[in-house]
Amino acid sequence: MDALRIDLGLGTQLRVRPADGLAERVRTAYFDRPGNWWRLCLNADHVESEAYAFYLRALSPAPIWNQTPSAATTG
């Protein structure tokens, strides 16, 4: 979830912006304690955007990915 929140926070600075409506889906996601996972309702565009965010995180050793989501969106 942190990677998605950072991606959404940087959305206007990225060449490929997050899919429309993804921010709302991430905001309304909830953590399922018994299953120990996050539950998101996504469409195909959201899934593609989410995969791209994880791809960027895997490729980039940049410090931005090591920040908290709020730190990435304020600077």
Side-chain angles (χ1 to χ4, degrees):
M1 288 303 289
D2 287 346
L4 285 176
R5 289 180 181 128
I6 290 170
D7 183 61
L8 291 168
L10 296 173
T12 58
Q13 299 172 29
L14 297 173
R15 186 171 49 92
V16 178
R17 296 184 181 194
D20 290 337
L22 181 59
E24 182 63 27
R25 299 296 178 130
V26 169
R27 246 189 315 279
T28 59
Y30 66 94
F31 185 72
D32 180 27
R33 289 193 189 275
N36 195 29
W37 58 45
W38 283 95
R39 291 195 170 241
L40 289 156
C41 296
L42 305 174
N43 64 27
D45 290 339
H46 296 149
V47 171
E48 184 177 329
S49 186
E50 178 183 19
Y52 184 69
F54 291 129
Y55 169 75
L56 288 178
R57 185 172 191 204
L59 285 183
S60 177
I64 192 70
W65 294 110
N66 297 323
Q67 295 181 17
T68 60
S70 59
T73 58
T74 59

